[in-house]
Amino acid sequence: MSFLTIEKIKKSFNNETVLHHLNLSIKEGEFVTLLGPSGCGKSTLLRTIAGLIHPDEGTIHIDGKNVTEVKPKDRQVGMVFQSYALFPNMTVQENIEFGLKMKKLDKESIKQNVARVIELVELTGKERSYPRELSGGQQQRVALARSLVTQPKVLLLDEPLSALDAQIRKNLQKQLRSIQQELNMTTILVTHDQEEAMAVSDYIYIMNKGHIAQSGSPHEIYTRPASEFVARFIGNYNVLSRKEISNLFNDDNGYTRDIYAIRPEAFSEAPVKDGYEITGKIQKMTMLGNITRYELEVNNVCFIADHLHKIEEDSQKRETITLYLNRKDVISLT
Amino acid sequence: MKRMNGMLLISIIPFIIFVLLFLFVPLFFMLYSSFQENGGTGFTFSQYMEVFRNTYYHQAFKNSMLISFFSSLIAITLAVFAAYSITLFSKKVQDRILVFANLTANFAGIPLAFAFIVILGNSGLFTLLFKHFGWDLLNSFNLYSWSGLVLIYVYFQLPLAVMLIYPVYQGIQAQWKEAAALLGASPSQFWLKIGVPIIMPSIAGTFSILFANAMGAYASAFALTGSAYNLVTIRIGAITTGDIFARPELGSAIATLLGLTMVLALLINEWLTRRIRRDLS
């Protein structure tokens, strides 16, 4: 049963269409990510859901109610912005209770609700601090608490972690996901970071130029990219033409599509049954922490293969390497 | 690095000399002179005593402060709305309005007074025009009075206030408005709870500048009313140029007190701002 339904949403700015009749369906309690490069329309879509942008066509339903013409404040959605958008003249406590005061809740309820979310986002002791006295990560947690405290039906996150450094970002990803699961909050995240999308989402919509390029679970998206755009966008896929595939495997049987994708980690050093055996010249080897990345060349076809890093690795001295690949790991693209 | 610092120091010397010669030396001599007998014959408090005892000078300070306060208040109130309205135009229009504001802010002194005399004076263009249509402007408005002086002061204060407040609105993030709207606040609640408290220090700061600007204004008032209207700057002018006797020492004492009034206004302003914006303290 869909909790948030977006039907045929269209939006144009200055005669340029940025959302092309999009359809999305999100279940209650689901964590959905809108993933795509800059300018793909993901933030516009999120702001349309929030009511900050009015669509030219189409409808938005939240919990069975058509909210397309409803004001942002009456949609019962919470939003967290990339820039945090905390009110600088208010303390953490005042920022968080702002929404409840606007709802005219009594003092006791406000106090209890604020204390609960402050504990949830682990900011106990910071109630009297002003935003400028907090780190980026702490400010973003205040912004999250400010949205959560009003108990919205849908929580919208507009690139909330992209201004933070890598370590804090990863910690906050985990915290965000665990809070979302604890509250069973229907959440939509906008990001251009495919790793972040994979790490937190139940379902991903990949967007490109105002269209949905592909949708599915993180596993489906990663293992079965539907198009060249998705394969190139979501990871380090080897995207190869039919001619390159034929050269690589010395086999053109059954490869009738124009373009194919192979995950770098699909190549194994151990033989696989009914697979290809490829011996390639090592052009370059890079250590990426727990992964060793080989850039290889076979019959003038260049590709990359990733292996888990091994301490006794001696490939520095090797000039060639023999790898094996299962036939089903060669994915045809549209 | 040390060599670089040396070069920087050398390049800043002309600036330091300039500041010393044109700011500190006159200030020092003003202070020194204010404690001198007439003719600079010895140390005394008598100049200050005279200012404190003479009700004519009390009135000058009172008039100057009143006209500065009211013209600044009118200008800042109008500028808060005017500057916000400007931000709603396209960038191109905004730039043009600012050029115009800059121009009018600097159009003060004698030319401004004469411009007003030509337009609204006893035989001014509009005065005669209104008279022609049956409305005798002089019955309700006299350019050479307190209200005329306030009008002229507001005229040069308003564009200055607009120019100083305009950038403040650029500091109001659109996302604060969006966040407040999503949390249930109306636009007026946003301005009341967030917008105004955020811009308040800048408004207060601008008010200080306007107040100081008006306190120090001389030429516009002098050109309009001669020395008929009793203002501190007109008194200083009269004493130092010597309508009867030149008394630069007394002028220095009044000027020092004028400076102190402005410093006091600034301190009150600072204190009030910190009371309003606790996050800045």
Side-chain angles (χ1 to χ4, degrees):
Chain A
M1 176 66 187
S2 175
F3 186 70
L4 172 70
T5 313
I6 291 162
E7 284 178 312
K8 295 181 182 165
I9 284 286
K10 179 178 178 268
K11 182 69 195 173
S12 302
F13 292 110
N14 303 325
N15 293 328
E16 193 184 334
T17 305
V18 287
L19 301 176
H20 295 267
H21 295 103
L22 300 184
N23 294 301
L24 280 86
S25 173
I26 295 164
K27 294 188 200 116
E28 188 168 10
E30 203 172 29
F31 197 125
V32 170
T33 296
L34 305 177
L35 175 66
S38 298
C40 73
K42 55 191 190 303
S43 283
T44 306
L45 179 58
L46 197 79
R47 294 166 65 78
T48 309
I49 298 169
L52 299 171
I53 292 176
H54 191 267
D56 300 335
E57 291 172 30
T59 58
I60 300 165
H61 285 79
I62 297 175
D63 197 11
K65 187 185 165 196
N66 186 345
V67 296
T68 321
E69 301 299 328
V70 173
K71 281 182 184 170
K73 70 186 178 89
D74 299 322
R75 292 192 181 202
Q76 288 183 274
V77 296
M79 188 156 172
V80 176
F81 298 87
Q82 182 182 354
S83 65
Y84 323 131
L86 294 178
F87 308 134
N89 58 318
M90 296 183 187
T91 61
V92 168
Q93 170 97 19
E94 289 164 343
N95 262 285
I96 297 173
E97 66 190 16
F98 184 81
L100 300 178
K101 278 187 172 172
M102 292 296 113
K103 283 186 171 181
K104 297 190 167 61
L105 257 67
D106 61 273
K107 275 188 177 173
E108 196 48 40
S109 313
I110 291 177
K111 205 175 154 189
Q112 281 175 9
N113 279 301
V114 172
R116 184 177 53 82
V117 290
I118 283 184
E119 199 184 328
L120 190 71
V121 298
E122 296 170 14
L123 279 170
T124 310
K126 295 282 179 195
E127 293 87 342
R128 287 168 182 273
S129 304
Y130 284 95
R132 66 179 174 85
E133 297 166 339
L134 304 176
S135 68
Q138 286 171 328
Q139 288 188 47
Q140 198 54 292
R141 278 186 282 154
V142 177
L144 181 63
R146 186 176 66 178
S147 294
L148 289 175
V149 78
T150 57
Q151 298 175 336
K153 286 185 172 174
V154 182
L155 178 64
L156 307 172
L157 309 168
D158 191 4
E159 308 223 22
L161 309 176
S162 35
L164 305 169
D165 60 50
Q167 193 61 40
I168 296 167
R169 192 162 69 226
K170 289 204 167 143
N171 287 340
L172 264 180
Q173 278 172 11
K174 280 186 211 157
Q175 206 179 3
L176 197 60
R177 179 59 163 161
S178 81
I179 290 171
Q180 182 268 335
Q181 285 176 326
E182 193 180 326
L183 302 175
N184 195 36
M185 176 78 69
T186 310
T187 304
I188 307 175
L189 167 74
V190 157
T191 184
H192 60 264
D193 181 344
Q194 52 91 7
E195 268 185 51
E196 186 170 287
M198 298 281 167
V200 298
S201 316
D202 293 313
Y203 203 84
I204 297 174
Y205 285 91
I206 296 189
M207 291 182 65
N208 185 27
K209 294 176 185 165
H211 295 275
I212 303 287
Q214 190 177 354
S215 66
S217 69
H219 179 77
E220 284 166 351
I221 298 268
Y222 189 68
T223 55
R224 290 283 143 193
S227 63
E228 182 182 352
F229 167 78
V230 175
R232 287 191 192 279
F233 185 72
I234 59 161
N236 302 299
Y237 263 93
N238 293 294
V239 178
L240 303 167
S241 67
R242 181 166 53 189
K243 190 161 176 281
E244 285 173 318
I245 284 283
S246 303
N247 285 349
L248 184 64
F249 302 139
N250 276 325
D251 172 15
D252 53 6
N253 287 339
Y255 294 111
T256 53
R257 291 285 183 90
D258 287 336
I259 204 136
Y260 292 87
I262 305 168
R263 277 178 294 125
E265 70 275 15
F267 295 96
S268 94
E269 280 188 273
V272 289
K273 201 180 159 190
D274 191 26
Y276 293 112
E277 180 182 324
I278 309 147
T279 301
K281 203 170 9 168
I282 300 174
Q283 304 274 17
K284 194 178 170 191
M285 197 187 81
T286 321
M287 228 273 285
L288 304 169
N290 60 341
I291 283 173
T292 307
R293 173 160 295 170
Y294 297 99
E295 288 177 35
L296 303 164
E297 193 239 301
V298 177
N299 299 334
N300 291 325
V301 179
C302 294
F303 64 101
I304 54 169
D306 288 349
H307 284 169
L308 275 176
H309 180 71
K310 283 177 265 182
I311 291 173
E312 64 274 14
E313 203 102 53
D314 62 347
S315 305
Q316 296 263 23
K317 298 157 199 158
R318 286 154 65 179
E319 285 191 355
T320 61
I321 186 168
T322 299
L323 299 168
Y324 301 89
L325 182 73
N326 202 318
R327 284 171 194 270
K328 69 172 172 45
D329 285 323
V330 182
I331 304 159
S332 62
L333 303 173
T334 52
Chain B
M1 193 65 195
K2 275 194 173 172
R3 192 184 154 79
M4 188 65 195
N5 281 342
M7 287 297 286
L8 277 175
L9 211 65
I10 290 168
S11 65
I12 210 167
I13 284 173
F15 176 71
I16 293 170
I17 292 172
F18 183 84
V19 169
L20 281 174
L21 283 180
F22 292 94
L23 285 176
F24 283 92
V25 172
L27 190 70
F28 173 77
F29 275 103
M30 183 183 80
L31 284 170
Y32 175 78
S33 171
S34 72
F35 290 104
Q36 290 291 308
E37 299 268 8
N38 288 341
T41 49
F43 181 85
T44 181
F45 284 111
S46 65
Q47 311 294 359
Y48 285 98
M49 298 305 283
E50 187 176 340
V51 179
F52 288 132
R53 280 188 193 136
N54 192 332
T55 50
Y56 193 50
Y57 295 131
H58 295 179
Q59 192 201 35
F61 272 98
K62 189 182 155 199
N63 285 347
S64 274
M65 282 198 265
L66 280 177
I67 198 165
S68 301
F69 180 80
F70 283 109
S71 67
S72 304
L73 193 69
I74 295 168
I76 200 109
T77 311
L78 295 174
V80 163
F81 294 100
Y84 182 69
S85 311
I86 294 171
T87 62
L88 304 177
F89 285 102
S90 70
K91 193 80 191 86
K92 204 173 156 186
V93 176
Q94 287 184 30
D95 289 344
R96 287 188 181 169
I97 295 175
L98 286 181
V99 168
F100 182 72
N102 203 339
L103 208 75
T104 45
N106 287 295
F107 183 59
I110 293 167
L112 175 69
F114 278 113
F116 268 88
I117 290 168
V118 166
I119 292 169
L120 292 170
N122 288 344
S123 304
L125 179 71
F126 279 91
T127 315
L128 295 178
L129 193 70
F130 290 143
K131 204 171 186 177
H132 182 72
F133 289 116
W135 178 37
D136 196 355
L137 189 69
L138 292 171
N139 283 341
S140 51
F141 175 79
N142 180 5
L143 184 65
Y144 309 103
S145 68
W146 157 263
S147 50
L149 214 49
V150 170
L151 180 70
I152 285 195
Y153 270 53
V154 170
Y155 181 87
F156 66 77
Q157 296 264 63
L158 178 62
L160 180 66
V162 167
M163 279 201 305
L164 292 172
I165 290 179
Y166 168 77
V168 176
Y169 285 109
Q170 314 291 325
I172 299 276
Q173 287 181 22
Q175 293 193 333
W176 289 336
K177 288 185 195 170
E178 292 174 350
L182 282 162
L183 291 166
S186 64
S188 56
Q189 280 172 318
F190 166 77
W191 283 108
L192 195 69
K193 304 268 180 190
I194 301 147
V196 171
I198 288 171
I199 63 171
M200 194 44 99
S202 307
I203 291 177
T206 305
F207 185 84
S208 294
I209 294 169
L210 295 180
F211 186 80
N213 190 36
M215 284 294 280
Y218 169 66
S220 315
F222 186 73
L224 194 68
T225 64
S227 56
Y229 202 76
N230 191 10
L231 292 176
V232 175
T233 44
I234 287 178
R235 283 286 66 75
I236 298 171
I239 290 165
T240 48
T241 52
D243 279 355
I244 303 166
F245 298 111
R247 292 182 63 190
E249 294 80 12
L250 180 62
S252 295
I254 300 175
T256 305
L257 292 171
L258 177 70
L260 283 175
T261 315
M262 292 191 221
V263 171
L264 191 70
L266 208 74
L267 290 175
I268 293 172
N269 197 328
E270 184 87 351
W271 176 75
L272 272 174
T273 308
R274 288 193 186 281
R275 298 262 308 182
I276 296 165
R277 281 286 301 275
R278 285 164 298 143
D279 60 305
L280 296 179
S281 49

